[in-house]
Amino acid sequence: MGNWDEVRTAYQVARMGTVSGAADILGVHHATVIRHVDALEARLGVKLFQRHARGYTATEAGEDLCRVAQATDEQFSQLAGRVKGKGEEVSGELVVTSLNGLAPLMSPTLSAFQERYPDITVRYLTGERLFRLEYGEAHVAIRAGAAPDQPDNVVQKFVSQSVGLYAAQSYVDRHGIPASEADYAQHRFVGHDLETNRAPFFVWLNAHVPRENVLFRSTDNRAMELAISAGAGIGFMTVKDAESHPDMVQIAPPRPEWYASLWLVSHVDLHRTAKVQAFLKFVKEQAKDWNAA
Amino acid sequence: MGNWDEVRTAYQVARMGTVSGAADILGVHHATVIRHVDALEARLGVKLFQRHARGYTATEAGEDLCRVAQATDEQFSQLAGRVKGKGEEVSGELVVTSLNGLAPLMSPTLSAFQERYPDITVRYLTGERLFRLEYGEAHVAIRAGAAPDQPDNVVQKFVSQSVGLYAAQSYVDRHGIPASEADYAQHRFVGHDLETNRAPFFVWLNAHVPRENVLFRSTDNRAMELAISAGAGIGFMTVKDAESHPDMVQIAPPRPEWYASLWLVSHVDLHRTAKVQAFLKFVKEQAKDWNAA
DNA sequence: CCCTTTCTGTGCGTCAATCCACGTTTCTCG
DNA sequence: CGAGAAACGTGGATTGACGCACAGAAAGGG
């Protein structure tokens, strides 16, 4: 079935009964309508209309086509209505992705967002591998580290969490507090397992603390946090996280170069939709007081 | 919803996942596919696909469109199958029309035709008004009188029934048999109510018998036949009809100028279809021995 | 690590689909 | 009965859509 437009033209001819009437509705010249009908009949090998001076009347085949095309027309009209609305209303799925470590931060916000927009189904995808926005795997990603600059991605600054060096009271009781940076070589640290990690505070750690002093290593932020809390060593935590743990001792105050910047990333094709805009607005409102600066 | 072809190309893009693949299937250049998708998105005001180097992936709106278009594609395929078959197989409705008087002649033939082609539904429309082939009201018409020469109508000679003048035995018992044409003025006749009737034997009657002698007039051939049979007067009957009535006396033998010619008429648009061809062949076979000549 | 393949995207020239105008037929109304 | 309107149908002009070619980018393979 080669050409759907010809079906549409024939449908209007069957509805109107005249070529001229169909041409008016379709907004084309009546010669075009005649050619469409002729082409369609030639392809099907069947006469769809009987031609006479008062217009065209559909044969059985033409009436059959008319019924099918009418159903199609209604389906397409409904589709257009749905699709146009879909760009303006906040409903359906919202897929958000981030690395594992941000789950404690995001979960309450996503929950609140779902409560605010009950038509939304929130899917929060986390994992070690980065879900890729450009393949449509997610609407919004929360990325950490340096500002991503992939083309076709819209990047907005989210929060800059202030990060400090902390240790548990139990660790301080046993090993004391380092007096200066030179003293760090005598202490135990909690750090990332991969030396190539680009997080700013881990870069700083690699530069200022011998690798052999990083005795607890993990790839999971949550595991490191629990390790610090359990007294395994000195490590980086956000000020907010540290405050939520009892008996946490600040070894070094937050520094600007340690800031853990988070970025809201969305694909340019979806960024303008009302759904994504509503989410970005909502999450920035929620995070207003998380900022360090 | 302006352009159905654009929906079709977008559907293939959603199916294939790539512009190139869709272009291959559709048999057009991939640039055309891109233009169609762009135009459709612009009209709907919604992004249907996310573009990336590996291809296009459908957004929610695109998936919605894909579902609707798939249903449409299936509908159209089925339609094409039905419609193509409709031209080749003998099924559906066969609408035959004629004047009232031919019903006794046609009914057995139509019944036999329906028995021969069980998928056919026969509709036999009779009435004073002529059903018009050019408006698609009937597939085949049986017309009487002079050869019709309307454009777009295919006319075939059907049968020439021999017509004679007859009277019932009861009439002959009371009024005798006219000795010559000059004697007709002393007899009673059965004729058509309208003097303008073009049937050749009625034209002859108007010319040779005073109007006041036509004492039984009707517009219905069947009524006239029954009137003659009941002894109301002398009237025209086909030889076959006269033979089927008991006690019928031939007043004058059949003449060529009285021949009631019947014509098979079909519209040129439908004449080539297998259904009409099958009917014409069948009815001519049946009527082989009806002919007078 | 580079080469190949695949796919998107765009500027440009060409061709076909479209529009336009006129002729013909039929129906209607005065 | 005759003029006018409305509709189909066709040949010629034109514009918009299509195909082509090339560039850029990303994934896969040796």
Side-chain angles (χ1 to χ4, degrees), chain B residues 178-196:
Chain B
S180 69
E181 290 190 10
D183 213 17
Y184 286 167
Q186 310 304 322
H187 282 266
R188 305 162 159 263
F189 283 84
V190 175
H192 200 276
D193 186 54
L194 296 174
E195 216 163 345
T196 56

Side-chain angles (χ1 to χ4, degrees), chain B residues 18-20 30-31 34 51-53 55-56 132 135 151:
Chain B
T18 66
V19 170
S20 309
H30 73 271
I34 292 177
R51 293 133 168 85
H52 49 86
Y56 279 31
R132 311 193 67 163
Y135 290 177

Side-chain angles (χ1 to χ4, degrees), chain A residues 10 16 19 32 42-43 55 58 73 92 104 115 131 147 153 166 192 251 279:
Chain A
M16 293 292 106
V19 170
T32 304
R43 182 174 312 125
D73 189 43
E115 200 168 349
F131 288 88
N153 279 1
Y166 289 89
H192 200 276
I251 307 299
F279 176 71

Side-chain angles (χ1 to χ4, degrees), chain B residues 65-80:
Chain B
L65 178 138
C66 181
R67 277 190 295 274
V68 172
Q70 179 166 12
T72 299
D73 190 43
E74 289 166 4
Q75 289 294 312
F76 282 5
S77 295
Q78 292 177 18
L79 173 70

Side-chain angles (χ1 to χ4, degrees), chain A residues 18-20 30-31 35 51 55-56 132 135:
Chain A
T18 65
V19 170
S20 310
H30 74 269
R35 293 194 174 91
R51 294 132 168 85
Y56 280 32
R132 311 194 66 163
Y135 288 178

Side-chain angles (χ1 to χ4, degrees), chain A residues 219-266:
Chain A
T219 57
D220 188 292
N221 283 36
R222 185 78 185 157
M224 290 188 250
E225 185 181 327
L226 293 172
I228 298 168
S229 178
I234 303 169
F236 288 103
M237 288 180 71
T238 66
V239 176
K240 279 191 88 67
D241 283 343
E243 285 171 355
S244 69
H245 282 80
D247 303 327
M248 203 56 78
V249 179
Q250 191 179 69
I251 307 299
R255 298 190 190 182
E257 65 261 36
W258 293 344
Y259 279 176
S261 293
L262 295 184
W263 307 90
L264 289 170
V265 189
S266 59

Side-chain angles (χ1 to χ4, degrees), chain A residues 131-153:
Chain A
F131 288 88
R132 311 194 66 163
L133 292 177
E134 55 268 33
Y135 288 178
E137 291 181 320
H139 294 107
V140 178
I142 290 104
R143 296 278 154 81
D149 61 344
Q150 288 214 12
D152 297 337
N153 279 1

Side-chain angles (χ1 to χ4, degrees), chain A residues 163-165 178 180-182 184 189 195 197-210 214 234-236 251-253 255-259:
Chain A
V163 174
L165 270 179
S180 67
E181 289 191 14
Y184 286 166
F189 283 84
E195 216 163 346
N197 190 287
R198 313 293 296 167
F201 39 84
F202 285 134
V203 172
W204 184 91
L205 192 71
N206 287 331
H208 293 79
V209 174
V214 182
I234 303 169
F236 288 103
I251 307 299
R255 298 190 190 182
E257 65 261 36
W258 293 344
Y259 279 176

